[in-house]
Amino acid sequence: MPLLHIAPLPRRVSKLDVLDFLDRVGGLDRKRVGRIEFRGPAAVIEVPDGWEARLPKALDGQMFGDRRVRVHIAADRCTTSGPEDHFARLSRLLELESNAEAQRVAQQAKKLSPVEAEKTGNSLIDLVVLDENAGLGGRLIVQLTRRTRGPLRWTRLDVGSPVVLSPHKDRTELSYRGVVCERSETSIFVAIDGLPDELGEHDTWRIDLAFDEVATQRQRTALELARVLRGDRAAILRDVLVGQRQPEFGVDQAVGALDRSLNETQVDAVQFAMSARDVGLIHGPPGTGKTTAVVEVIRQAIRRGRKVLACAPSNLAVDNIFERLLGFRERVVRVGHPARVLPELREHTLDLLVEGHRDVRLAHKLVKQAMRLFREASRHRRTAPMPGERKQLRDDARSLLADARKMELQAAESILDSASVICATTTGIDSQLLGPRRFDLVVIDEACQSTEPGCWIPLLRGDRLVLAGDHCQLPPTVVSQDAAAEGFGTSLFERLVNHYGTCITRRLTVQYRMNQAIMDFSSRELYDGQLEAHASVREHLLCDLPNVTASQITEWPFEFIDTAGAGYDEELEPDGESRMNRQEAELVARKVGELLDAGIAASDIAVISPYGAQVRLLREQLNVSGLEIDSVDGFQGREKEAVVISLVRSNPKGEIGFLADHRRMNVAMTRARRKLLIVGDSATLGGHPFYTRLLEYCESLGAYRTVWEEGSLFVERNVAD
């Protein structure tokens, strides 16, 4: 018998409920249904032969209790061994990654003291509740600050991060899941669902970065569905993406560029993407206006009457697309937790648009009535209630809540139906909201920053796919070493480039960020020497900025300061595995001081190091408001006028660790607009061909310096030591 897969199930669902759903909505006599097996939030059901096509068509997207379910024939009936092998492998690697991430979070909470946990940047401790307000689609916004009212410590808890809020001192089971929705120098704001009464019962609280199990579950479901597709447009696209069928291209009727600022390579890439019948790739090296081209693709699709799903792995990347589309007055809706959206864009999110819908005001009244009924059912009385009275009150309350939920969903559907474009993160697509909706085009920006399972969530909803990214920059972050060793860090974009080559790809070549001297090395090493600096940036320097003093540090776009022979030895961080270099950090701090003295604003400077220990050390030494100091990963996709890079590694064995990944260095070097300054040890780095060529390039520019040329007491002191 074919196996039918239904998910996500309502809470406390029974087999009788499933039989009733199949009978009432699907038209299948319950007597003909075979075995029913519950697998977490899903059910797998044996159904009669001949019902494989009818049941998914009748049930997919329908309401089952308070849930909108997705329905398909389960994986046991997969049709082709190729896709099955591919998706079985991805599912296995996803489980390795999920387990590793969950273990990492659990071990940190178990092994580290609160103070140690805070030092990692994944926690904030000793917080007090400063204020509570309603907002963000009916959620509770909790403002927390340090008990001492001082500035918050450095943290990785950025806006949009999933977190757990729990008492700091009391080791209880009490905790609330939430999302960071705002940060200031002294406060952090967390949006949590519900209205808890216990916040006032504890003096101090802590916030910890949480593992996002919902995103993992959505990826599992997408991989299972992709594996069993057959006989429709999604199955054809699936076969192209796994290499079972060749991609096809047509001749799309040319339409003039809607954005007149596009250059020739951008126009060509847009036209190519529009001609793709299956999938097209836009390769955007740093600063080449990749997202500008992506937005043009979306707008061109809208002009052809097509519905578009626009995605990216990160909320910031989605907001970048979303903001530009709003600026062009397109009918666009942002789906996802409002706390993860930039504050100036939140009024256009689905949650807040739904809140303003007239039908939802009535839904709020129903919720209040339901809460009163629940309280009435739980209230202690002097006289015993009538038999069944409490149960009836609770049943009535649940019925009111179900009606309120339906009203909210209907309001959401009305808003979504009116939009030409829906924006969401790849893992933020909720089938409860979108139901069985399909799109003429799915666009995924920054596709190289997502592992492949994340991309399958949106692309299964589309007839055609456009991916944009740069596989020559950092790959997706993978926690599990075993999964990474088996290629889990290879993005869908990179895999397709490796499989099909340039026949499905167009590269953008005009860059608008870097001085040519900064750009040229990466261009030669990674982009076949094809990049061209636009005239507006080709020769721009720090000394061209207002109120900046002309000096060597502001008049030279590129410098490499070599510390070889100066005794700047690396060391392991105490009680850690990351590396740092104290003398090099002092030199970096001194060069940052020179930039500041020359008139460069702190907010225009970035200090980057590949090593977390060096980042932490530099933050201690450079406590300058507005100055950003972070890892390479933290700066991907961003830019600054001046960038100082501390490479750290300095040892007699010439060991450089993960600096050998040239993509990491490519990201670090291409963040700078007008000034790039690298500090490193040539004796350690020079054994690697990439860094040999980098040193030769610097010498050819006259950009090579030695620490001895600094001619300062700073150097003499370290030599004496």
Side-chain angles (χ1 to χ4, degrees):
M1 298 177 74
L3 298 178
L4 192 74
H5 182 279
I6 302 177
L9 296 174
R11 294 183 179 87
R12 295 184 295 274
V13 70
S14 68
K15 292 184 179 181
L16 288 176
D17 295 326
V18 173
L19 290 171
D20 178 68
F21 180 63
L22 294 173
D23 187 353
R24 177 174 48 83
V25 183
L28 175 62
D29 188 339
R30 63 181 63 201
K31 295 179 181 178
R32 302 185 63 190
V33 177
R35 177 176 54 89
I36 299 176
E37 179 183 345
F38 292 117
R39 300 178 182 175
V44 178
I45 307 130
E46 292 181 343
V47 298
D49 289 324
W51 285 79
E52 301 98 313
R54 279 187 284 176
L55 283 175
K57 185 177 294 186
L59 301 176
D60 191 37
Q62 297 298 317
M63 294 297 297
F64 186 0
D66 62 347
R67 301 292 180 93
R68 189 184 301 280
V69 294
R70 301 306 309 273
V71 180
H72 60 271
I73 296 300
D76 305 61
R77 286 296 194 126
C78 185
T79 57
T80 57
S81 61
E84 180 177 14
D85 293 342
H86 179 73
F87 293 109
R89 172 181 167 275
L90 285 180
S91 295
R92 180 173 57 80
L93 298 183
L94 177 63
E95 291 309 308
L96 288 175
E97 176 68 6
S98 174
N99 293 336
E101 178 66 19
Q103 288 173 10
R104 183 183 67 83
V105 173
Q107 287 173 358
Q108 178 175 298
K110 182 178 180 180
K111 289 184 177 180
L112 300 181
S113 70
V115 173
E116 291 171 334
E118 190 171 50
K119 285 183 178 179
T120 67
N122 295 328
S123 302
L124 284 172
I125 64 172
D126 203 20
L127 303 173
V128 295
V129 176
L130 195 62
D131 197 8
E132 303 170 42
N133 286 296
L136 296 176
R139 297 172 177 88
L140 180 70
I141 309 300
V142 182
Q143 180 184 2
L144 300 109
T145 189
R146 294 187 72 86
R147 183 168 51 84
T148 59
R149 297 299 196 271
L152 296 176
R153 289 184 62 99
W154 167 80
T155 174
R156 291 191 177 89
L157 304 177
D158 296 319
V159 172
S161 297
V163 295
V164 172
L165 176 65
S166 59
H168 172 47
K169 294 182 179 179
D170 299 333
R171 290 296 182 180
T172 67
E173 296 298 321
L174 177 65
S175 64
Y176 303 104
R177 284 190 168 268
V179 174
V180 176
C181 60
E182 189 178 344
R183 275 178 49 182
S184 68
E185 187 175 345
T186 58
S187 293
I188 186 167
F189 299 76
V190 179
I192 60 178
D193 292 324
L195 301 172
D197 299 323
E198 298 89 346
L199 290 179
E201 296 180 7
H202 298 273
D203 294 332
T204 55
W205 295 80
R206 64 180 287 171
I207 300 174
D208 297 281
L209 190 65
F211 171 56
D212 193 352
E213 174 60 29
V214 173
T216 301
Q217 182 56 46
R218 287 172 179 166
Q219 292 175 79
R220 290 190 191 107
T221 301
L223 292 176
E224 183 175 359
L225 180 56
R227 186 166 56 170
V228 301
L229 289 170
R230 57 182 176 182
D232 60 7
R233 176 60 196 155
I236 294 174
L237 180 58
R238 186 271 317 272
D239 289 347
V240 171
L241 296 177
V242 299
Q244 300 288 311
R245 181 193 294 259
Q246 287 295 311
E248 296 182 1
F249 295 85
V251 179
D252 198 81
Q253 184 177 358
V255 175
L258 300 170
D259 184 348
R260 299 297 181 183
S261 69
L262 295 182
N263 62 52
E264 186 176 339
T265 62
Q266 288 173 319
V267 171
D268 177 62
V270 170
Q271 195 65 40
F272 175 76
M274 297 304 297
S275 71
R277 291 177 178 169
D278 304 299
V279 58
L281 274 57
I282 298 177
H283 180 196
T288 54
K290 168 179 54 60
T291 301
T292 300
V294 166
V295 170
E296 179 73 11
V297 169
I298 295 169
R299 297 182 67 207
Q300 291 285 356
I302 294 170
R303 295 303 177 273
R304 291 160 170 78
R306 297 170 184 168
K307 292 279 189 177
V308 182
L309 177 60
C311 300
S314 71
N315 283 284
L316 188 60
V318 176
D319 285 346
N320 194 10
I321 298 173
F322 184 46
E323 185 173 26
R324 297 192 193 197
L325 290 171
L326 286 172
F328 286 120
R329 300 183 182 277
E330 302 293 356
R331 288 181 291 121
V332 55
V333 173
R334 174 74 156 90
V335 172
H337 199 304
R340 293 187 167 106
V341 180
L342 292 173
E344 59 269 27
L345 303 177
R346 285 177 185 162
E347 63 181 290
H348 302 283
T349 60
L350 181 63
D351 280 47
L352 296 191
L353 290 172
V354 167
E355 282 292 306
H357 197 280
R358 61 182 182 274
D359 292 345
V360 175
R361 298 190 191 101
L362 175 57
H364 289 169
K365 293 180 181 178
L366 295 181
V367 171
K368 290 180 180 178
Q369 292 177 30
M371 293 300 102
R372 283 198 297 268
L373 291 176
F374 276 126
R375 286 193 293 270
E376 178 67 19
S378 302
R379 186 169 60 86
H380 175 72
R381 305 179 187 180
R382 292 183 178 179
T383 59
M386 297 291 291
E389 182 180 355
R390 292 185 188 275
K391 181 179 182 303
Q392 185 61 49
L393 287 170
R394 293 191 179 98
D395 288 345
D396 290 344
R398 292 190 184 97
S399 178
L400 289 172
L401 289 177
D403 289 342
R405 178 60 175 160
K406 288 178 182 177
M407 288 180 179
E408 290 177 342
L409 286 174
Q410 288 170 357
E413 287 186 357
S414 175
I415 293 168
L416 293 173
D417 287 342
S418 67
S420 299
V421 187
I422 294 175
C423 293
T425 59
T426 49
T427 58
I429 296 171
D430 185 356
S431 62
Q432 290 294 298
L433 289 174
L434 295 189
R437 275 183 178 79
R438 291 193 59 78
F439 298 84
D440 303 294
L441 175 66
V442 171
V443 177
I444 303 178
D445 195 12
E446 303 294 357
C448 296
Q449 295 181 30
S450 170
T451 58
E452 184 169 335
C455 288
W456 283 96
I457 300 172
L459 72 83
L460 287 176
R461 293 180 173 273
D463 294 337
R464 297 189 305 118
L465 175 66
V466 171
L467 300 175
D470 180 13
H471 55 292
C472 299
Q473 297 189 57
L474 283 175
T477 300
V478 175
V479 175
S480 167
Q481 294 183 358
D482 291 337
E486 293 193 51
F488 194 59
T490 301
S491 66
L492 174 62
F493 186 105
E494 184 176 2
R495 183 172 65 76
L496 292 174
V497 169
N498 292 338
H499 185 79
Y500 290 113
T502 58
C503 74
I504 64 168
T505 309
R506 289 294 183 271
R507 177 185 286 168
L508 307 178
T509 59
V510 180
Q511 70 87 17
Y512 298 86
R513 175 187 300 165
M514 296 166 275
N515 179 291
Q516 184 164 336
I518 299 172
M519 175 202 75
D520 273 346
F521 181 73
S522 288
S523 177
R524 296 176 190 179
E525 285 290 311
L526 298 164
Y527 305 110
D528 306 313
Q530 291 183 356
L531 299 192
E532 173 189 350
H534 189 264
S536 62
V537 302
R538 188 176 299 136
E539 298 180 357
H540 67 176
L541 300 166
L542 288 179
C543 60
D544 298 329
L545 293 172
N547 304 315
V548 172
T549 303
S551 62
Q552 176 176 300
I553 201 166
T554 63
E555 291 181 322
W556 285 82
F558 195 167
E559 288 183 87
F560 185 100
I561 299 180
D562 188 359
T563 65
Y568 288 17
D569 296 329
E570 67 182 69
E571 58 184 287
L572 278 174
E573 183 181 34
D575 302 320
E577 299 179 357
S578 186
R579 297 177 186 272
M580 60 188 198
N581 190 316
R582 297 180 188 276
Q583 294 91 344
E584 187 173 291
E586 291 182 31
L587 176 56
V588 167
R590 183 162 157 267
K591 301 309 288 186
V592 170
E594 290 181 24
L595 289 169
L596 294 171
D597 291 342
I600 309 300
S603 59
D604 287 333
I605 304 172
V607 180
I608 301 176
S609 178
Y611 289 91
Q614 188 77 344
V615 169
R616 290 186 282 276
L617 177 62
L618 285 164
R619 285 197 177 112
E620 292 175 1
Q621 296 191 2
L622 283 165
N623 187 18
V624 179
S625 179
L627 176 68
E628 289 193 66
I629 306 171
D630 209 339
S631 64
V632 180
D633 303 60
F635 272 103
Q636 180 152 300
R638 304 180 59 209
E639 61 184 56
K640 291 284 186 177
E641 297 292 351
V643 171
V644 182
I645 303 174
S646 174
L647 295 180
V648 177
R649 301 309 298 261
S650 179
N651 59 76
K653 295 182 179 180
E655 295 176 347
I656 63 173
F658 59 70
L659 288 184
D661 184 351
H662 60 264
R663 292 176 297 182
R664 186 174 300 277
M665 195 61 183
N666 181 41
V667 171
M669 292 174 63
T670 55
R671 301 308 95 198
R673 288 176 49 79
R674 300 168 187 261
K675 176 73 179 188
L676 174 63
L677 194 157
I678 304 173
V679 181
D681 180 350
S682 65
T684 300
L685 300 169
H688 190 282
F690 177 87
Y691 291 97
T692 299
R693 293 190 294 271
L694 174 61
L695 292 166
E696 291 172 350
Y697 174 73
C698 293
E699 289 180 338
S700 71
L701 288 180
Y704 175 83
R705 314 267 187 270
T706 70
V707 71
W708 311 103
E709 293 177 62
E710 294 294 302
S712 67
L713 293 174
F714 172 82
V715 176
E716 293 171 5
R717 177 172 60 81
N718 281 291
V719 172
D721 290 342

